[in-house]
Amino acid sequence: MRYKLTIEYDGTKYAGWQRQEERIISVQSALEEAIFGFCQHNVTLYAAGRTDSGVHAYGQVAHVDLNLARVYTVFDIQKAINAHLKKHKISVIKCEEADENFHARFSAKNKLYTYIILNRSSPPTLDQHRVWHVRRELDVPAMQAASKHFLGTHDFTSFRDSQCQAKSPIKTLHRFDIVREQERIFIHVEAQSFLHHQVRNMVGSLALVGHGKWTGENIRAALDAKDRAHAGPTAPASGLYLVRVDY
Amino acid sequence: MRYKLTIEYDGTKYAGWQRQEERIISVQSALEEAIFGFCQHNVTLYAAGRTDSGVHAYGQVAHVDLNLARVYTVFDIQKAINAHLKKHKISVIKCEEADENFHARFSAKNKLYTYIILNRSSPPTLDQHRVWHVRRELDVPAMQAASKHFLGTHDFTSFRDSQCQAKSPIKTLHRFDIVREQERIFIHVEAQSFLHHQVRNMVGSLALVGHGKWTGENIRAALDAKDRAHAGPTAPASGLYLVRVDY
């Protein structure tokens, strides 16, 4: 039986979603170990988005096939996995039965990522490791105007990581909203799928606009250049959240 | 010269606001040490609210008298203190010159405390130590109705800690709002001043209402009893935030 899990995590101390050969544990490994602890069989989880180290999730989605020795409700399964995650900052917030054709990544129709900037001179306390701390005031209206160049279908070669495995650099963005709430700037981006580091690279370039070093024209030119060297730096992982995946 | 400092902190690992003889450092001690580090003289800070261990602040206010060897802008002072707070989850978010009669506690006209309950079965991740995790669904409309008994002027003896030092148990509450936003319940309470543990004791009793064990009548009767033994348990410190102090 295939199950769809909705997962929340604080990504700070993990090697990202994907299982690694490294010493630092990944979110995937922690979950696979918890499932082993519950039903004593080795499983592989498939996630909607393979978040990087330090990136957080309020609504990551993964699927897994379980051969359970007896009947469990989905709520029993959720509780059992969480019981084996006590030492982790990872929580299964929903468990649902899924169709055998359901695939967390390939069935996804839309993903919402939110990036949070704490824009003030004093350092974060409650938000440490959960925001990008930018001391100098950012020009949000300028960033909003410039961000519109990202909307629609483009070749995002300039905004993909050199290690990106995707076959095509063409992606379609449905939403790019930037909202200031006092000291915090929330950047909401939606698309069916993203390239590796795409959101963080777009945010890094928009910060140049916010600092007055770039204009919207530079964003346009960076897209047109189709060369990573023509875009701005990668914004830190700590500000990024995978908020929701729609199917 | 007297200065008014607005301070944010993650109270999880501190012994509360007040300087203690204990091994665990308090927020006050950390700030006094940082000020010593900056200007090499011993000072005493006076805070608007002496928060308990584990209680957080987005807008604690304290005053301090500084004899500075040379002229600093308030922004220089803020930056210098923060530079000495690097290892702490404490941040001075504003520094202002204050009148010599200004007293952070006695001049306060109003304080806003917010208490956050995470009301869902699965454990918190990003919110660990920042909420009270209540697994069973709480009846928020019942809690809202019952909370109205707290509004206005009452003898809050049943809701004060046995160690409370206040001369009078009479307090006046101007606001008691309870708002659910999906899995989170926000409780906003405003008064000029509060008794020790008052907010946490009121929230603990309202949780009994939310669980259907108590009605609004029990809240009324607990107030009338003027006896701590007649009210509910104390809600955990982790959910409480001192959000704002008005002068």
Side-chain angles (χ1 to χ4, degrees), chain B residues 27-41:
Chain B
V27 178
Q28 182 186 5
S29 306
L31 279 160
E32 288 172 354
E33 282 176 19
I35 292 171
F36 184 85
F38 150 53
C39 60
Q40 263 71 49
H41 71 94

Side-chain angles (χ1 to χ4, degrees), chain A residues 8 91 120 123 125-126 130, chain B residues 8 91 120 123 125-126 130:
Chain A
E8 183 186 282
S91 195
R120 69 178 190 193
T125 66
L126 288 151
R130 285 122 200 256
Chain B
E8 183 186 281
S91 195
R120 68 177 191 194
T125 66
L126 289 151
R130 284 122 199 258

